[in-house]
Amino acid sequence: MPEIKSRMAGVWICRKVPDGWEHLQLLRSPGRYAPNTWSLCRGGVEPGETAEQAALRELREETELTPAPGGFYRLGTVEMFHTTVDDTIYFCPFFVAVVRAEDRVVLNPEHTAYRWVPDAEMDAALTWPNEHLLLTDVRRYVLAGHPSLGLMRLG
C-alpha cells in the first residue's frame, strides 16, 4: 500500500514583463528523479519548518531568487501526485513567488537549465497533468489580480 506524505512544498515562479507574464521552469539534472524533465520548484519540508518557510528556502536554494516586495502568495491548490520510485502519494501545498523581471536565475546542481515561458505558451510547456490545476489558479488569482489576492499575500 502506498505511503502518504505531506512533507513537501512547491513554489510557482513568475514575473511581469512588458509583453505580459512569464513562468519559470527548471530542467531536472540527470541522476535525479524524473531526469531531463521541465519542472517547477519543489522540495521537502525540513523538521521544524513550515510549508511557507520550505517554499521560500527551496526558491533560494534552487534559483537564488526571492519574491519581489509583496509578491509572495499562498495558492489554495494543494498538488497531489504519486511516485513509483518510493510508492508514495505526496500532498504538496503550493505558493506563488512573483519576482522582478531583472532578477537573475542561478541554478543549483538539481537543475541544468531554466527557461522563462510566456503565459500563452505555458499550457503546452507543462510536464505533469496536475500542474494545469496550479496554472489555472495562478492565472485566476495572481496574474488577474483577483479581489481575494490580498488575503493570499504572505509576508
Side-chain angles (χ1 to χ4, degrees), residues 52 56 67-74 95 150-155:
E52 177 183 346
L56 287 168
F72 190 60
Y73 306 92
R74 97 183 131 76
F95 300 85
L151 299 171
M152 300 164 66
R153 183 171 286 118
L154 299 168

Side-chain angles (χ1 to χ4, degrees), residues 30-52:
R32 304 199 66 85
Y33 177 75
N36 302 311
T37 58
W38 290 102
S39 70
L40 304 172
C41 182
R42 296 179 184 85
V45 177
E46 295 178 355
E49 206 175 37
T50 66
E52 177 183 346

